Amino acid sequence: MEDIKPVLLNFIDCDDFFKKILLIESEYYLPELRRRFPFAEIYFITPDEDFAEKISDNKVKIFTLDYREIRLPFPEEFFDAIIGDLTLEVVVNPQDIAAGFSSYLKQTGIWLTSFRNVRHWKILEKLMKGRFGAIVSRLYTQTEFERLLYASFYKHVRMAPVKKEAPPDFLKKLVDCGFDNSGDDLEVEFWLVRAARSMPELSLLKSMYTPEIRTELSRILHRIEYDVNPEENVKKFWELFDSSGMFTDYVAGFIRSVVMHRENFYRNLSKFSTRPEIEEIVEECESLFDIDPPAGLRK
């Protein structure tokens, strides 16, 4: 654990802004989180009541429970970030826990965690000597953990290695025995993980307007796309555009994320629009999609 404590928070990007943070047992991150996000609400969970009493930050909301056994007492889509090392190491069903965490994250939320690499040379060395102490622990490969996350409703995953170098002779012995060492994986002791509920470009879109506005915009765009009262819905589109203070590159990015039949959508939008912004939206969309303009689109 000591090796990974200073590193996991490096996965917080400069443009991350967390209002609500859930910290799982990893209390050593509290001072740095408080420094980076002084106005954030920080929630801390641990099954150890005695340990909970030692938390010195009186602004932290502490819950004494075991997240492996008890459903967390929070609403869905409540947190901007869930942070904790090795959170899937001692669990019965890791996908249940991973998917459960996903449900507590906002659409723009992230989960920062870590796991031990089962292919690390020290683990293999112990196995070769007939020793293996992780009887109740789950160890993962990078590929296995990544698949687990995508199966648990995360859309974008980044990983970074924490390495402990092997003695050269022993590493050569492993490779000669047939162990693949792509990316120096045999020397990766831990993998650090940043799992996001949304792709980065969609996360930005979702952060700008309320869920109600985004839902209404999506509904209107689909109605235009599928020829459902297109003239009326183009009018509603521009009304929402004005009332919400939208801008053209935002709308273009949103169209990219939800509209499937682009040519028909552009045709309807162009046909029933008199606004000067139409040309800019169409140009943005063409650039984003890298497609040729539909024939006869421009007036």
Side-chain angles (χ1 to χ4, degrees):
M1 292 289 286
E2 295 295 332
D3 291 338
I4 58 179
K5 285 180 190 177
V7 189
L8 187 55
L9 295 191
N10 289 346
F11 254 158
I12 296 177
D13 292 338
C14 60
D15 56 351
D16 285 331
F17 180 70
F18 301 152
K19 295 180 180 178
K20 289 184 171 66
I21 301 170
L22 176 62
L23 189 59
I24 300 175
E25 298 184 343
S26 305
E27 78 291 342
Y28 38 81
Y29 290 131
L30 268 174
E32 179 65 12
L33 285 173
R34 182 60 72 200
R35 185 187 71 80
R36 295 196 193 191
F37 305 99
F39 301 108
E41 295 179 22
I42 299 180
Y43 298 73
F44 179 79
I45 61 174
T46 175
D48 187 339
E49 293 185 7
D50 293 334
F51 182 80
E53 294 177 356
K54 299 178 182 178
I55 300 297
S56 58
D57 190 333
N58 58 15
K59 293 183 180 180
V60 174
K61 299 174 183 176
I62 301 173
F63 294 78
T64 53
L65 57 85
D66 190 339
Y67 69 92
R68 305 164 187 84
E69 303 291 340
I70 301 173
R71 181 172 176 82
L72 301 183
F74 308 111
E76 292 188 357
E77 300 192 6
F78 186 70
F79 293 106
D80 298 287
I82 296 176
I83 302 172
D85 279 314
L86 309 179
T87 43
L88 297 187
E89 183 164 285
V90 186
V91 295
V92 175
N93 191 327
Q95 188 170 338
D96 282 354
I97 302 297
F101 285 163
S102 175
S103 71
Y104 293 112
L105 288 170
K106 297 176 183 177
Q107 291 290 322
T108 54
I110 64 167
W111 175 26
L112 299 180
T113 191
S114 55
F115 63 93
R116 299 180 198 271
N117 179 23
V118 72
R119 300 186 75 249
H120 186 242
W121 65 270
K122 287 193 72 68
I123 293 176
L124 298 178
E125 182 183 43
K126 291 177 181 178
L127 286 170
M128 292 170 70
K129 294 178 180 179
R131 303 200 308 269
F132 187 66
I135 301 302
V136 297
S137 299
R138 288 182 177 268
L139 305 184
Y140 305 86
T141 65
Q142 180 188 16
T143 300
E144 179 188 8
F145 202 89
E146 189 173 41
R147 287 174 179 168
L148 185 154
L149 291 175
Y150 284 124
S152 304
F153 313 113
Y154 298 90
K155 303 299 183 184
H156 187 251
V157 177
R158 286 161 44 194
M159 294 190 184
V162 177
K163 296 183 179 181
K164 180 175 287 187
E165 293 184 357
D169 291 345
F170 185 71
L171 184 62
K172 182 178 183 303
K173 181 178 180 180
L174 290 175
V175 173
D176 290 344
C177 287
F179 283 92
D180 178 73
N181 194 30
S182 301
D184 298 326
D185 188 48
L186 295 176
E187 295 185 289
V188 176
E189 186 174 15
F190 298 99
W191 283 101
L192 309 178
V193 182
R194 177 185 169 114
R197 281 203 62 183
S198 299
M199 296 295 289
E201 60 271 20
L202 295 186
S203 182
L204 179 61
L205 295 179
K206 291 175 180 178
S207 69
M208 291 183 177
Y209 297 96
T210 66
E212 293 76 17
I213 290 175
R214 298 197 307 269
T215 298
E216 178 65 7
L217 177 59
S218 180
R219 186 184 69 83
I220 291 172
L221 296 182
H222 284 310
R223 291 175 75 84
I224 296 171
E225 174 186 8
Y226 290 104
D227 296 318
V228 179
N229 299 321
E231 184 173 7
E232 176 185 347
N233 281 288
V234 168
K235 180 181 177 181
K236 289 181 178 179
F237 164 76
W238 289 115
E239 290 172 351
L240 184 63
F241 181 93
D242 291 333
S243 65
S244 303
M246 292 182 187
F247 48 97
T248 55
D249 54 351
Y250 174 87
V251 171
F254 203 95
I255 291 169
R256 177 181 64 176
S257 71
V258 302
V259 172
M260 297 294 294
H261 305 286
R262 297 183 293 269
E263 183 171 343
N264 196 56
F265 172 85
Y266 292 148
R267 184 177 292 108
N268 282 333
L269 188 65
S270 180
K271 179 179 179 181
F272 297 109
S273 294
T274 58
R275 299 280 295 261
E277 294 94 339
I278 180 64
E279 290 294 331
E280 189 172 348
I281 289 176
V282 171
E283 288 175 0
E284 290 282 357
C285 289
E286 289 167 5
S287 173
L288 290 168
F289 284 117
D290 193 26
I291 62 172
D292 294 329
L297 178 66
R298 303 297 179 84
K299 295 183 178 180

